[in-house]
Amino acid sequence: MPLLWIALSFITGIIIASLFSLSAYIWLGFAIALSLIFIFLRLSRFSNNPISIFLLRLPLSAFVLVFFFLGAFWYQFRQPIIDAFHVAFYNDRAYEMLVTGTLAEPPDYRDTYTNLRLKVEALDSGSGDLPVSGMLLVRVPQNQTYEYGQRVRVRGSLKTPPEDEEFSYRDYLARDGVYSYMSIAEVTDLPGNGGSVIRTAVYKLKDKLLQHTYRLFNDPEASLLAGILLGVDTGLTKDLQNAFKNTGTAHIIAISGFNIAIIAGIFFSMFKTIFGERLGAVFAILAIAFYTFLVGADAAVVRAAFMGSISLLARQLGRRNTGLNALAVVAFIMTIINPLVLWDVGFQLSFFATLGLILYAEPFSSFTSNLITKVTKTNNSTITQIINDNVILTFAAQLTTIPIMAYHFKRISLISFIANPFILPVQPAVMILGGLAVFVSLIFQSLGQLIAWVAWPFSAYTIRMVELFNRVPHGTIYLGDSSFWIVFSFYIALFAVTWNWPRIKEWFNSLAGSLRTVAFTATLVIMFACTVVVWRSTATAGDGKLHITFLEVGSADAVLIQTPEGRNILINGGGSTSELSDELGRRLPFFSRKLDWLVIASTQENQLAALPRVLERYPPENILWSGNVQASFSAQALEKFFAEEGIPVTRAEAGQKLELGGGSFIEVQSTGPRGSVLLIQYKNFRALLPIGLSDGTLEELEFGNVVGKVDVLLLADSGYEPSNPPDIIQNLNPQLTVLSVAAGDPDGLPAQSVLESLDGYSLLRTDRSGWISVITNGDTLQVEVERGE
């Protein structure tokens, strides 16, 4: 298989060149010299000399060696030249700079910031613009919107991307040609647009699809589908992302060979019906290329797209698609495009997973079929196919990826062998129905929503099963740093066994008699069990009780109130978009996507930063606003959003009551520049939320005497001492005190004196208990927490 050896030689040359710093032209000289020597000796009339005879007998070896030197040359040739005309030349200076450039990619919106990748045009260090080139990663504050091709000027300090013992952000960015980093920047828009017309249209389509995904589905299902369909996995909370990693199912939320295989099958079936098999394959390949471009074209997606396209092409040409050759061609092409792709973790996992399927899927499946036939004494092809498709293929792929996961992620998921068979069977339904709902909604919103209701149980089932398996004790083994040589030795041993399997099989057959006592057990997945998923929110909405849930959003406040009649009121939101969206998505009924009221009780940035993007997904019908609009950027963004959407805003005043139905209400106790103090009451139950405590408010409320006794008290400002004097706690005398604070708060909250003043009172903290839910019928009180008791 010459293609395999040529690709391996080229890749080996790249790896060796990364270890030994020689000039690119030295490596090229070796390749040219070896080629000339080989050609000369092949054509020479002195063909009887020992060297000629050796080369004539081993022509492929010499040819492969040429590609080794070409790979080394290509790696060195692609290294950037850092001079005065490259932006990285100005890294780590002691002063700020003005950099002008164009957004080379769509903005990467995160919870608390936004990443922009700029194609740099000019740099001003104080003496005017100097034309420079290169890529720059800029981190800017959240909630400001940007678009691909936008020309901007950023002010800040240029830095070399950081690295430490755990992770090298420098190497990670270098794979995409980024060698400069601006961690804090001020952005100024410039006139003009430097983007490609085609790329602009594609990215606008992707943005439109993403918006419709969040309109059709609640979180976390919406963020799951955004990752599966569009490659945007930043909406998932860190806890949920870790759950996917711990259960060995993270490949589901990243577009990989599994996703591309489903998409390739859909495209081919669709176009074959219209254009016939050959033209249908061509259009399917073009559609795969477009989809790859649409979702970002990272290393794993490109590899999967190449493999899918080669498979379709080989089928139409009537040639047998040799998996190893196809995989080698894909790796060869990708290293030509970018030699640094070899160090991309996604590419490594995708490559070795495919290699595992190529090498072991067929023999493992055959062994399973024979074993089932011997045990059951029947040839049950249906059971065999289900087990092979959902268990054996997963094992074959994971066998070759476990060392890489142990090396990079320092963990091995034992539960993955059980979790994947339960989760993978529903993924075609997740992709097909979810994708159909999103695309149809572009034309017919109502029809798309109807399909989304059918698709939702499959995605909900996926998340619930991942969370279930993540809770299995000792399902994940956490490792320390793994040596590269251990990983290398594992692959050497594995491939040695693979290539010498006939001899090992003879020895194995001699022991077959003693292995007959081993029982092969399998658990069948009921495909449509996922259609019955009971949401916590549907069980509690409109049950005649008042539910007050203090969400875990760090050192800020986000309180979701679900009234006895099923209304939903959100108070503030905290700073994390993904966490707030996930919490709301789990609690709001699937068929009701709106909040009845949003109460702005504080206008500080950390209290509102999550809301601008979340409210696009869960729009409120009414707003009760207190606090200074100019107090934060997010407050201004929200005011603009409400005006554009025509959402009525009511300014809060002391004494004002917001009726919630069923005899429950929210009363504004006090207002000020920072916000308001709210009292929630339902029959005999009372809860005080001093979220927007301003200067003088405590005196105005006579340190709680004006309010009277309460059942639940939320500590103000995450336990900040001046906001929580002992007098107010004594005067309010709460049955339960709630503290919303981040674990390891950088400001040292809560204050120790506040904790000491709570001695003798019941205290629950979100950093320890997660979300805290208070449920009352107006007379009795029930408390539920996410973690602990």
Side-chain angles (χ1 to χ4, degrees), residues 569-601:
I569 296 91
L570 177 65
I571 303 176
N572 279 31
S576 172
T577 300
S578 61
E579 289 177 359
L580 180 62
S581 184
D582 183 90
E583 294 279 11
L584 292 179
R586 292 173 185 272
R587 288 171 172 78
L588 296 182
F590 181 71
F591 300 99
S592 176
R593 299 302 309 277
K594 291 187 177 182
L595 294 165
D596 293 276
W597 280 88
L598 171 67
V599 179
I600 304 296

Side-chain angles (χ1 to χ4, degrees), residues 769-786:
S769 300
W771 51 258
I772 300 164
S773 186
V774 177
I775 306 167
T776 178
N777 60 5
D779 296 311
T780 60
L781 192 67
Q782 177 185 349
V783 180
E784 295 180 357
V785 295
E786 181 181 11

Side-chain angles (χ1 to χ4, degrees), residues 3 80 193 229 255 265 329 356 398 484 540 567 599 737:
L3 287 175
N193 189 297
L229 298 174
I255 296 174
V329 168
Q398 291 183 329
F484 166 78
T540 60
R567 296 180 184 177
V599 179
T737 308

Side-chain angles (χ1 to χ4, degrees), residues 524-541:
L524 301 179
V525 179
I526 302 174
M527 289 285 293
F528 295 101
C530 62
T531 57
V532 184
V533 180
V534 180
W535 272 26
R536 188 184 194 90
S537 61
T538 59
T540 60

